[in-house]
Amino acid sequence: MAALPAARVTRLLALAARLKTLRRRRALHQPLRGMTLGLLFEKPSTRTRVSFEAGMSQLGGQSLFLSAADIQLCRGESVADTARVLSRYLDGLVIRTYDHTIVEEWAREATIPVINGLTDLCHPCQALADLLTIKERKGRLRGIKLTYVGDGNNVANSLIEAAAQTGMAISLACPSGYEPDPRIVREAHAAAAGTGASIELVRDPLLAVKEADVLYTDVWISMGQEREQNRRLKELAPYQLNERLAKEAKPDAIVMHCLPAHRGQEITAGLLDGPQSVVLDQAENRLHMQKAILVELLARRGAMDSRH
Ligand code: CP
Ligand code: NVA
């Protein structure tokens, strides 16, 4: 998996902010007229699905939701054949699936842009949108300390990449056996050398939250891990994001969660619904950032095609 270059992240942030302003003014901006985006989801989704579908429609295009259970893929048709056929109909494809190698196979076989809408390994659209939220609230990204407490899962992995590309200081407190992906951490350390970022993995959540500008957590049981529920609830219990931890962060720290949340598990209701929480802005910014991703990938490609 290769992280986006830092310059592209900066460009996407600027474009997302512009698209957000246009949306606030209800200004019509439809660079994707005539284009169709497919969404092929093997896991449930509220935010990712709806923000991509609404975003595509606001940009003048259309979207087509493809439940994996309703297409021939579920009867054994290969990813390669499906990807090549769908590439003849569509202009872009969002895939939400389990193993990360599946989305890589889609990207290899399709001849249209393939966007990762979440895999077991990472959730890049979420992290890009979160950068927009942090920048809006804190005015900058470089030097901002983000503390992630809990399961070192797909969301944590993408936040590590996002921090490394933008010069943030990320500190993660995860119990033994729940650390983020070692390859992503290694690659992030290498990227950090060029951006001034820092990546720290600790066991003690109280240590991790010291002086944090951003407090972040995610569910303890991700989609597909339901059978591990009992073990996860027990082993992650000391890693709840709660008021005791928040007291150690900066007084103006913001509280983030990608949602859906489980109040009383990974986060207390008091924090999730309290004055420091920015979770609804986070959810809204999925729309603006994903519109930027669509414009960047589809409009440019459309412009290139029309020259041929
Ligand atoms: N945060 C997020 O990706 O939510 P959904 O699972 O609802 O898409
Ligand atoms: N880690 C969670 C994120 C959901 C948006 C999951 O994969 O289920």
Side-chain angles (χ1 to χ4, degrees), residues 111-157:
T111 55
I112 53 175
V114 171
I115 300 169
N116 178 350
L118 179 147
T119 66
D120 292 345
L121 182 68
C122 54
H123 196 2
C125 293
Q126 179 71 53
L128 283 167
D130 292 341
L131 290 179
L132 180 63
T133 307
I134 297 168
K135 192 149 185 267
E136 284 173 352
R137 292 291 179 147
K138 297 289 163 193
R140 66 193 163 98
L141 294 171
R142 189 174 290 271
I144 290 293
K145 178 174 176 181
L146 184 154
T147 297
Y148 179 98
V149 179
D151 185 18
N153 61 14
N154 44 9
V155 170
N157 287 332

Side-chain angles (χ1 to χ4, degrees), residues 221-293:
I221 300 144
S222 283
M223 291 178 277
Q225 297 175 333
E226 290 76 11
R227 275 183 315 189
E228 300 167 24
Q229 174 164 329
N230 292 344
R231 173 171 63 79
R232 289 182 156 268
L233 288 181
K234 186 161 151 268
E235 295 180 352
L236 284 152
Y239 288 78
Q240 183 190 61
L241 189 56
N242 55 32
E243 284 75 1
R244 190 171 69 98
L245 288 186
K247 265 215 317 269
E248 302 299 322
K250 287 192 182 151
D252 64 347
I254 55 171
V255 170
M256 299 182 76
H257 190 306
C258 62
L259 304 179
H262 296 81
R263 291 168 178 79
Q265 288 187 18
E266 75 274 5
I267 189 164
T268 55
L271 276 191
L272 192 81
D273 303 316
Q276 289 171 279
S277 173
V278 298
V279 298
L280 293 178
D281 284 353
Q282 254 186 287
E284 178 186 334
N285 282 338
R286 297 291 306 278
L287 172 72
H288 308 300
M289 177 50 79
Q290 286 158 201
K291 283 168 75 177
I293 294 169

Side-chain angles (χ1 to χ4, degrees), residues 202-217:
V202 298
R203 285 274 177 257
D204 183 357
L206 271 172
L207 202 68
V209 293
K210 288 256 181 289
E211 290 300 301
D213 299 288
V214 180
L215 297 170
Y216 203 121
T217 192

